[in-house]
């Protein structure tokens, strides 16, 4: 405690060049949670002794806790250069590589730690997290099970084991495991956040939202999803709200997570507007125009303008993902009705750009989704895999794919003869323009991506092909999701490849198109 800091200070006064005293001061400060000061003390020790492994290791741990993984990694690498036989250092390196989403390297470091110490529970934990982040859930499960066998009281091991079971759709086992983890440490966030996702995917909204605010203490969530929320804003967040907590208040809704999540949670902005005295919504710059058109009674602010706002001007600051606790605790709370609408001009511009419809249906397509963090490989297709869709008679196709897929589309048009229309990426990067385009389509045919949420929020018919282990937003089973009535889910079966999923999805569109009258050109 403070006594240890004082003792180190006394030693330093007697001998300022005593590197161990600076290390001891840093160690004491780190245990007190004064991490930045601890790093400064370790730096002083390292100026005196650059190869001081204990100082390098502790410095790396402090920097990791400060959410500076690149600097932490450098510190661990320097320590390993002087002590390559330390399983603890290899494990620490694996941990920060996980924070950096460098999962294959994290596995290598964890494996080195395990080779040096086969029963090292934390190394099995780090290995499991890396595998989990690569969507290799069965292998992750085995690593977490080994971790828990090596250390039966491991809270992190049990929490991650429960999350892996959820991702493998072993829901009863997942909930049992997560209940046990929560019982170990009810105040800690990891198991509660994992339990939130297990409950939400099963439709237990009241129970799920009760745990969902634990995400703000979850290391992986913070690394992946919360970059939009500053530390100052996070400290002001109101949690576990009821509608009465917002009544008559000036409310700020900062963003979080991805654009698709923002659109989904935006379905609750009208609830806030109807309850609060004034509502200010901060959102991704690409959403500002669409939100201004859709929520005229709210103040819509992009990230640059929000930098000048004062939190003290608001009575409640609520992360938009926390609104479910107040407004969506029962299935009947989900209206499922459209809530986004672009301005008429955006729709008219795209009607003119597209011209008269030439067949029975005009279908928008998106075939890739996600990032390395969010399962891109498990939920993305190639245009070649959509060949059955392009075989539909009397249909025309429009690319809604984000990024720049022009080379892919040109190759598919050349090789498959599918005639996909594509526009410059910058023309549809802004979501009001993308919404205007979608409003001119009969169907959207897509994988699990933000286009699902936008189509559903606009009330446009959408077929969404979701992987065997979908995110909680898509629920565990069924062909519907509560957020949108216009979205039809086609699920990948256990161990199934994408070909039969595409076939089933196309059959539904084909049946609808057969009932639609053909249009002349």
């Amino acid at each position: 405690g403070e006594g240890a800091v004082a003792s180190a200070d006394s030693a330093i006064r007697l001998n300022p060049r005593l590197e161990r005293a600076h290390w001891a001061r840093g160690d004491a400060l780190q245990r007190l949670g004064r991490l930045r000061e601890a790093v400064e003390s370790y730096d002083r020790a390292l100026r005196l002794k650059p190869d001081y492994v204990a100082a390098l290791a502790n410095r790396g741990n402090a920097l990791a806790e400060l959410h500076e993984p690149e600097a932490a990694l450098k510190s661990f690498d320097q320590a390993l250069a002087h002590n390559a036989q330390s399983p603890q250092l290899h494990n620490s390196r694996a941990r920060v590589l996980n924070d950096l989403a460098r999962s294959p390297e994290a596995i290598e470091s964890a494996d080195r730690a395990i080779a040096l110490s086969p029963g090292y529970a934390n190394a099995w934990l780090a290995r499991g997290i890396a595998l989990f982040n690569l969507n290799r859930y069965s292998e992750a499960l085995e690593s977490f099970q080994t971790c828990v066998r090596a250390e039966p009281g491991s809270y992190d091991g049990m929490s991650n084991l429960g999350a892996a079971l959820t991702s493998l759709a072993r829901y009863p086992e997942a909930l049992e495991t997560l209940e046990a983890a929560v019982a170990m440490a009810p105040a800690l966030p990891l198991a509660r956040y994992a339990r939130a996702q297990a409950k939400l995917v099963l439709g237990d909204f009241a129970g799920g939202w009760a745990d969902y605010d634990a995400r703000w203490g979850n290391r992986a969530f913070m690394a992946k999803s919360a970059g939009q929320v500053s530390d100052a804003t996070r400290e002001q967040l109101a949690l576990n709200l009821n509608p009465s907590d917002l009544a008559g208040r000036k409310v700020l809704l900062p963003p979080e997570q991805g654009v698709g999540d923002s659109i989904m949670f935006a379905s609750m902005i009208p609830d806030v507007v109807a309850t609060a005295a004034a509502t200010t919504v901060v959102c991704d710059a690409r959403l500002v125009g669409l939100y201004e058109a859709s929520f005229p009674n709210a103040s819509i602010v992009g990230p640059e303008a929000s930098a000048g706002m004062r939190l003290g001007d608001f009575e409640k600051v609520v992360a938009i993902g926390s609104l479910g606790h107040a407004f969506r605790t029962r299935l009947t709370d989900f209206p499922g009705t459209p809530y986004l609408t672009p301005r008429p001009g955006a729709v008219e511009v795209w009607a003119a750009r597209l011209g008269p419809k030439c067949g029975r249906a005009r279908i928008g397509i998106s075939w890739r989704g996600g990032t390395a963090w969010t399962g891109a490989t498990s939920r993305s297709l190639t245009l070649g895999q959509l060949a059955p869709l392009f075989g539909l008679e009397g249909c025309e196709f429009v690319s809604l794919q984000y990024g720049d897929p022009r080379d892919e589309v040109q190759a598919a048009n050349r090789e498959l003869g599918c005639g996909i229309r594509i526009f410059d990426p910058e023309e549809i990067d802004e979501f009001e323009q993308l919404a205007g385009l979608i409003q001119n389509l009969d169907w959207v045919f897509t994988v699990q991506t933000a286009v699902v949420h936008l189509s559903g929020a606009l009330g446009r018919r959408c077929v969404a092909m979701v992987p065997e282990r979908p995110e909680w937003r898509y629920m565990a089973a069924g062909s519907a999701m509560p957020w949108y009535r216009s979205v039809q889910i086609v699920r990948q079966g256990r161990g199934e490849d994408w070909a039969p999923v595409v076939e089933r999805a196309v059959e539904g569109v084909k049946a609808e198109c057969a009932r639609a009258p053909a249009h002349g050109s």
Side-chain angles (χ1 to χ4, degrees), residues 279-366:
T279 304
T280 299
V281 181
V282 181
C283 63
D284 188 294
R286 295 170 294 171
L287 291 168
V288 169
L290 182 57
Y291 280 16
E292 286 177 338
S294 305
F295 308 120
N297 295 320
S299 174
I300 309 300
V301 180
E304 288 188 12
S306 71
M309 295 191 314
R310 295 189 307 170
L311 294 177
D313 291 340
F314 300 93
E315 295 167 283
K316 290 288 182 182
V317 181
V318 188
I320 195 165
S322 293
L323 294 174
H325 189 275
F327 298 112
R328 298 290 185 270
T329 58
R330 300 163 300 178
L331 194 58
T332 53
D333 292 335
F334 291 80
T337 50
Y339 53 90
L340 293 183
T341 179
R343 280 169 275 239
V347 181
E348 293 163 5
V349 163
W350 282 104
R353 292 286 304 278
L354 290 165
K357 190 162 67 172
C358 300
R360 287 191 169 87
R362 181 176 278 158
I363 300 173
I365 57 171
S366 179

Side-chain angles (χ1 to χ4, degrees), residues 460-481:
R460 306 304 293 175
R461 291 185 296 179
C462 173
V463 174
M465 297 174 290
V466 302
E468 176 184 342
R469 302 177 183 109
E471 297 175 347
W472 64 263
R473 299 148 186 83
Y474 292 83
M475 314 300 291
S479 61
M481 55 195 300

Side-chain angles (χ1 to χ4, degrees), residues 216-301:
W216 294 109
N218 181 273
R219 185 186 187 97
F221 175 83
M222 297 298 291
K224 287 190 281 188
S225 307
Q228 305 101 310
V229 179
S230 68
D231 289 341
T233 302
R234 193 156 52 246
E235 289 171 7
Q236 298 298 314
L237 292 178
L239 306 177
N240 295 315
L241 289 164
N242 295 311
S244 58
D245 297 318
L246 304 179
R249 306 293 183 90
K250 292 177 68 177
V251 177
L252 174 66
L253 301 177
E256 57 171 292
Q257 305 183 51
V259 173
D261 299 289
S262 293
I263 292 170
M264 182 180 79
F265 291 133
S267 64
M268 295 178 281
I269 292 174
D271 297 274
V272 179
V273 169
T275 306
T279 304
T280 299
V281 181
V282 181
C283 63
D284 188 294
R286 295 170 294 171
L287 291 168
V288 169
L290 182 57
Y291 280 16
E292 286 177 338
S294 305
F295 308 120
N297 295 320
S299 174
I300 309 300
V301 180

Side-chain angles (χ1 to χ4, degrees), residues 53 77-87 89-90 112-113 116:
V53 171
D77 283 342
Q78 289 171 330
L80 281 162
H82 301 292
N83 183 7
Q85 298 304 304
S86 167
L89 284 172
H90 286 293
R112 289 193 191 103
L116 291 163

Side-chain angles (χ1 to χ4, degrees), residues 158-175:
M158 288 287 283
S159 301
N160 281 283
L161 176 59
L165 288 164
T166 299
S167 293
L168 290 166
R170 291 164 60 173
Y171 300 118
E173 295 170 82
L175 285 170

Side-chain angles (χ1 to χ4, degrees), residues 263 336-339 438 443-466 473-474 478-491:
I263 292 170
T337 50
Y339 53 90
I438 289 174
W443 284 89
V444 171
F445 194 93
T446 180
V447 295
Q448 179 181 294
T449 186
V451 169
V452 176
H453 298 287
L454 181 58
S455 302
L458 294 166
R460 306 304 293 175
R461 291 185 296 179
C462 173
V463 174
M465 297 174 290
V466 302
R473 299 148 186 83
Y474 292 83
S479 61
M481 55 195 300
W483 303 89
Y484 320 110
R485 291 179 188 163
S486 63
V487 173
Q488 175 192 347
I489 295 176
V490 180
R491 298 181 184 275

